[in-house]
Amino acid sequence: VEFLYCDLASMKSIRQFVQQFRAKNCPLHVLVNNAGVMLVPERKTEDGFEEHFGLNYLGHFLLTNLLLDTLKQSGTHSHNARIITVSSATHYVGKLHLNDLQSRCSYSPHGAYAQSKLALVLFTYRLQHLLTANGSHVTANVVDPGVVNTELYKHVFWVVKLVKWMTAWLFFKTPEEGASTSIYAAVSPEMEGAGGCYLYNEERTKSADVAYDEELQRRLWTESCKMVGISDESSRVP
C-alpha cells in the first residue's frame, strides 16, 4: 500500500496528484470516488466553489477526467478498468440548478448536499455513455452506501446527533458494511463489463428519474468542463 496526498477540494492538489501518479507509470484498474462533506455551513473551496459542489462533485469530476487515459490503457476486453462513484439516497430529493450550481441565490446545506449527490449520478451516466461510444474498456457505476456511522454527520443539528448516538448500533451500518457495495462494484465478477448502474446493497436499482435525463447529463458535463478548466471532448459525441 502506498499513499499519495490529494485534496479533493483543491484543483491544484488534484492536478499535482495526477502528475505524481502518472510519473510512476502504473496501471490503474479501479478508481473509487469516495470523498465528501455533508451539511457544512456555507463556505467555499480555495478555488471559490461552494464546498459541497466543489469537493463532492467537481473534485471527482476533474480527477476522473485527468485519469481517464490511464484507465483506458489499463482496461482490457476481458478485464475492464472500473470507476466507482459514491453518491447517496439523498440524490432522490436533489435538484440540479444549472443557473446556480454554487447555491449563491439561496444556500441550504441540505439542498447543496443533495444537488452534489445528484450531480454524481448524472456524471456517472454521461461518463458511461461516452466510454461506450468510444469503445473503451472502462466501466462507470454509482453506489449508494446506505446510512453509515461515520464522522460525516458532525455538522447535523445536535438533536440528530443525540438520536444518532443512541440508535447508531441499530439503524446505521458500520464503515465496513458501508464499503461493501463499493467493493462489490470494484471487484465482483458479476459486474465485469457492466456500466451505468446504480447500486445499493450490492444490487442494481433505479435512481431518481431526473438522473436519466440525457440532455441534463450533457449540459452538466459541459458546464463542469468549463468550471474545472478542461476541454469538453464529449461535444463530439451525440
Side-chain angles (χ1 to χ4, degrees):
V1 176
E2 185 175 352
F3 174 81
L4 292 178
Y5 179 81
C6 181
D7 180 358
L8 267 293
S10 165
M11 302 293 118
K12 179 180 178 182
S13 177
I14 294 168
R15 291 180 182 277
Q16 288 176 338
F17 164 80
V18 171
Q19 196 172 30
Q20 290 177 325
F21 180 79
R22 282 179 173 169
K24 294 181 175 295
N25 291 316
C26 293
L28 178 57
H29 300 108
V30 178
L31 172 65
V32 181
N33 293 319
N34 187 57
V37 291
M38 184 175 77
L39 307 184
V40 296
E42 186 173 10
R43 59 195 188 196
K44 292 180 171 59
T45 67
E46 67 176 45
D47 301 288
F49 301 122
E50 185 277 315
E51 190 168 7
H52 288 101
F53 195 77
L55 194 162
N56 295 3
Y57 170 67
L58 284 179
H60 292 121
F61 179 86
L62 177 61
L63 178 67
T64 302
N65 273 280
L66 294 181
L67 290 172
L68 264 184
D69 284 345
T70 306
L71 284 156
K72 290 176 181 178
Q73 293 164 11
S74 304
T76 65
H77 178 72
S78 57
H79 290 91
N80 282 206
R82 304 186 188 189
I83 301 167
I84 296 92
T85 298
V86 179
S87 181
S88 161
T90 313
H91 93 275
Y92 286 105
V93 297
K95 293 183 179 179
L96 195 77
H97 302 284
L98 274 172
N99 296 324
D100 186 26
L101 291 171
Q102 304 300 319
S103 303
R104 293 191 178 103
C105 294
S106 177
Y107 181 77
S108 158
H110 294 83
Y113 176 69
Q115 175 180 247
S116 72
K117 291 300 179 177
L118 173 59
L120 289 170
V121 183
L122 289 158
F123 155 67
T124 299
Y125 291 165
R126 180 60 180 168
L127 176 59
Q128 183 59 54
H129 174 79
L130 298 174
L131 291 168
T132 301
N134 292 325
S136 303
H137 298 308
V138 184
T139 58
N141 291 296
V142 61
V143 165
D144 173 4
V147 183
V148 187
N149 189 12
T150 68
E151 287 298 307
L152 197 62
Y153 295 85
K154 64 183 179 181
H155 292 289
V156 300
F157 192 53
W158 70 268
V159 173
V160 179
K161 285 184 180 179
L162 179 61
V163 172
K164 174 181 175 290
W165 179 76
M166 295 173 63
T167 63
W169 65 275
L170 183 61
F171 298 112
F172 284 59
K173 293 182 178 181
T174 65
E176 290 78 12
E177 291 169 338
S180 66
T181 303
S182 294
I183 295 171
Y184 172 80
V187 302
S188 172
E190 296 174 22
M191 292 303 296
E192 179 57 48
C197 302
Y198 185 86
L199 302 170
Y200 176 64
N201 284 344
E202 301 181 15
E203 292 184 356
R204 304 180 200 193
T205 187
K206 190 175 182 293
S207 62
D209 289 340
V210 68
Y212 298 103
D213 184 334
E214 294 183 2
E215 178 61 21
L216 189 60
Q217 295 168 14
R218 187 182 294 110
R219 291 175 64 192
L220 173 63
W221 185 283
T222 298
E223 188 61 29
S224 302
C225 287
K226 293 176 184 176
M227 295 172 83
V228 301
I230 61 175
S231 61
D232 182 9
E233 297 181 0
S234 76
S235 59
R236 296 193 292 271
V237 180

